[in-house]
Amino acid sequence: MTRPEAPVPAALPHPVVDNHCHLDIGRGGDPWDAGEAIAAAAAVGVTRIVQIGCDLRGARWAVEAAQRHPGLVAGVALHPNEAPRIHAEGGRVALEAAWDEIEELAGAHDGVRAVGETGLDAFRTGEDGRAIQVESFRRHIDLAKRLDKTLVIHDRDTHDEVLEVLDAEGAPERWVMHCFSGDADFARACLDRGAHLSFAGTVTFKNAEPLREALRIAPRDRILVETDAPYLTPHPHRGQTNASYLVPLTMRLMAEVRGEDLGELCAAVEGSTFAAFGGVWPAAPTANKS
């Protein structure tokens, strides 16, 4: 059954970018109409979206969508749980072919700004798949550096391990901790290594005080906002389908937590996102004013 849609929030006073979205998954596993999703987001001040492809099908979709839609750029990778799955089902030949295709897609056109989401996940991948997961992470780090793309990192229950791999391989110039899930100490460790921290709807959850403390200590120029839609819908609409038009709920909470003016924080987050993902961004609709 498709989850209900949340009501449209008030528009933001300054544009921001949803820097991590899965339009190809959309509602109930079916892709959104990208044009409609982009227009709905732009109407509330979310004027650009980074579309992330996590498997070969999704990566192809992201690359094509970035070609078709102004205001949308793409990231491509094998998700940390996808690489072990491919290896388990098709062996080394299938995994090498998948990595090769991700490299081809990552260099397809200027609208592909990121290699990600990659990283580590101890929640859904067990010890039997960990070596492949780590190897895939290393391959994606190398790809991001060779192509001068932003590295987007998925980290679930693997804080220390992610930093160990990054330290061993050397982080690329631009990298993002997607859906940051650590506390203030882990935030400092990432920031010291040059990371941008991306905050999702999880920062609005009642049990997320350590995450809010990380938000408080992060410099303005390292903060990003995302949905991870259709997942992680912000409070008070948990259980409903997330989408880019709900970013204002997260941004308002972020401004409240930091004790900052909403418009000023939105402007800082937009600038931080442009810096984090590099390149010249396409023109985007003008945001409505609240």
Side-chain angles (χ1 to χ4, degrees), residues 27-113:
R27 302 180 186 89
D30 296 322
W32 269 298
D33 181 297
E36 290 181 4
I38 292 166
V44 296
V46 184
T47 55
R48 294 175 173 90
I49 295 171
V50 181
Q51 164 64 23
I52 299 293
C54 290
D55 55 20
L56 293 179
R57 180 174 175 272
R60 296 170 194 140
W61 196 98
V63 170
E64 293 172 2
Q67 287 181 305
R68 292 196 309 270
H69 297 285
L72 186 149
V73 299
V76 299
L78 298 182
H79 188 279
N81 297 319
E82 179 68 4
R85 185 196 67 78
I86 292 173
H87 185 262
E89 294 181 1
R92 190 76 194 185
V93 171
L95 185 55
E96 291 285 353
W99 282 329
D100 287 346
E101 183 170 353
I102 289 296
E103 179 163 353
E104 182 178 350
L105 290 167
H109 58 79
D110 290 342
V112 185
R113 297 296 175 82

Side-chain angles (χ1 to χ4, degrees), residues 86-259:
I86 292 173
H87 185 262
E89 294 181 1
R92 190 76 194 185
V93 171
L95 185 55
E96 291 285 353
W99 282 329
D100 287 346
E101 183 170 353
I102 289 296
E103 179 163 353
E104 182 178 350
L105 290 167
H109 58 79
D110 290 342
V112 185
R113 297 296 175 82
V115 171
E117 61 190 276
T118 182
L120 301 175
D121 188 315
F123 183 75
R124 287 196 169 88
T125 295
E127 287 301 318
D128 57 338
R130 183 55 57 84
I132 291 296
Q133 196 175 79
V134 170
E135 181 182 3
S136 188
F137 187 21
R138 294 180 187 275
R139 295 277 290 254
H140 284 83
I141 293 170
D142 175 68
L143 179 60
K145 290 194 289 189
R146 286 191 287 109
L147 298 185
D148 190 28
K149 304 290 184 180
T150 301
L151 184 72
V152 176
I153 296 178
H154 170 107
D155 160 34
R156 188 161 187 182
D157 302 335
T158 54
H159 296 341
D160 292 341
E161 294 89 342
V162 162
L163 294 184
E164 287 172 7
V165 174
L166 278 173
D167 288 346
E169 297 298 311
E173 181 179 350
R174 301 179 307 278
W175 62 284
V176 174
M177 286 298 289
H178 146 60
C179 190
F180 184 78
S181 59
D183 58 12
D185 288 341
F186 184 58
R188 292 186 183 96
C190 294
L191 292 165
D192 287 346
R193 291 165 169 82
H196 284 80
L197 308 183
S198 179
F199 292 89
T202 46
V203 77
T204 73
F205 295 176
K206 291 180 180 180
N207 63 349
E209 187 54 36
L211 185 54
R212 289 188 282 274
E213 186 58 33
L215 173 63
R216 291 185 186 99
I217 65 95
R220 261 190 182 186
D221 64 354
R222 302 284 196 86
I223 295 172
L224 312 181
V225 69
E226 67 171 275
T227 56
D228 199 24
Y231 314 112
L232 304 182
T233 309
H235 178 79
H237 302 301
R238 292 184 70 177
Q240 297 176 279
T241 300
N242 202 6
S244 295
Y245 75 86
L246 294 176
V247 163
L249 298 174
T250 304
M251 278 303 311
R252 285 187 165 87
L253 185 281
M254 290 169 63
E256 179 181 336
V257 166
R258 289 176 60 87

